[in-house]
Amino acid sequence: MYPKAFQQLIDHFSSLPSIGPKMAERLVLYLFKQSPEKLDEFAKSLNAIHEIKTCQQCFNISQNNLCHICLDKNRDQTKICIIEEPLDLIPIERSQAYDGLYHVLGGTVEKNNDSLTINELLNYVENSEIKEVIIATNFTTEGDLTAMHLKRILNEFDVNVSRLARGLATGSDIEYADDMTLQSSLKNRERM
Ligand SMILES: [Zn+2]
């Protein structure tokens, strides 16, 4: 019932996480009403996503082969914080309670086991100055299982393993945690 180009855009938007068909229709209608200049800018930004890379060391999103955190030698090179997704890094950085390195796992143990960067993590821990691994997976069932799995395989290495303290409610995502909660969670991290 919609023109083909209109429907195709709706389909694209509907395929995005958290966007249902009704919301997709509203977004496309909104775009339809915008100026050609604004739409051009939007299309350019969308295309430029090809230029964004994954950091070769920590798997954070990055403009270059290594992200700004891995390149910053003033950061504590003896600590590494394991997070599920790149978005989890933002609130931890914003809390200013952590100045070590990161490692983006790419998910949790059972959801997409094959694509996780666990081998890369072990490789890095083995060949670096890391003395403490801080696990900051979400406080969900999957996050808990992942933390336990990581603890088990990190046992072989000469590193302390800790996890963020449960200042965060069970079932909560690091991504949405506020500064105060993260500060105390990091400070009171528990040895596993
Ligand atoms: Zn990096």
Side-chain angles (χ1 to χ4, degrees):
M1 62 183 164
Y2 290 121
K4 195 170 166 215
F6 201 91
Q7 184 60 49
Q8 275 176 341
L9 255 184
I10 293 176
D11 294 344
H12 279 301
F13 275 108
S14 313
S15 71
L16 300 176
S18 314
I19 297 193
K22 276 282 145 214
M23 174 64 89
E25 281 178 354
R26 249 177 277 149
L27 290 171
V28 176
L29 188 63
Y30 174 81
L31 288 176
F32 177 67
K33 291 176 182 168
Q34 303 307 303
S35 67
E37 294 77 27
K38 188 163 177 183
L39 290 178
D40 273 349
E41 284 302 309
F42 188 76
K44 266 189 217 148
S45 292
L46 204 54
N47 256 320
I49 210 158
H50 294 301
E51 294 162 19
I52 303 171
K53 297 175 179 164
T54 301
C55 172
Q56 289 174 355
Q57 184 172 303
C58 75
F59 299 91
N60 183 17
I61 41 182
S62 174
Q63 202 69 250
N64 303 302
N65 290 337
L66 287 178
C67 74
H68 68 286
I69 292 176
C70 289
L71 285 172
D72 184 354
K73 295 301 166 208
N74 289 324
R75 296 189 70 109
D76 186 343
Q77 308 285 316
T78 67
K79 289 194 188 81
I80 193 162
C81 178
I82 307 180
I83 49 178
E84 290 180 21
E85 300 291 350
L87 294 180
D88 299 332
L89 187 146
I90 310 293
I92 298 178
E93 280 297 289
R94 206 178 40 215
S95 79
Q96 298 188 326
Y98 180 72
D99 70 342
L101 304 173
Y102 289 92
H103 183 88
V104 181
L105 211 52
T108 51
V109 166
E110 76 284 13
K111 265 189 196 156
N112 46 2
N113 216 341
D114 295 341
S115 62
L116 297 185
T117 57
I118 291 180
N119 288 338
E120 289 85 350
L121 169 70
L122 299 182
N123 204 8
Y124 186 75
V125 168
E126 192 169 16
N127 299 297
S128 65
E129 309 160 43
I130 298 297
K131 292 189 173 63
E132 184 181 5
V133 178
I134 301 164
I135 301 178
T137 51
N138 291 324
F139 289 109
T140 55
T141 311
E142 298 84 27
D144 289 348
L145 285 171
T146 305
M148 282 186 282
H149 179 72
L150 290 173
K151 162 69 182 158
R152 217 162 31 236
I153 52 178
L154 283 163
N155 266 343
E156 296 176 36
F157 299 86
D158 185 23
V159 289
N160 290 328
V161 181
S162 58
R163 191 173 181 200
L164 292 194
R166 281 196 178 269
L168 294 160
T170 299
S172 65
D173 285 356
I174 308 284
E175 189 188 335
Y176 304 113
D178 63 82
D179 291 359
M180 289 282 282
T181 309
L182 271 176
Q183 280 163 7
S184 83
S185 251
L186 275 158
K187 187 160 165 266
N188 303 313
R189 59 185 182 271
E190 288 152 7
R191 186 88 177 256
M192 285 183 83

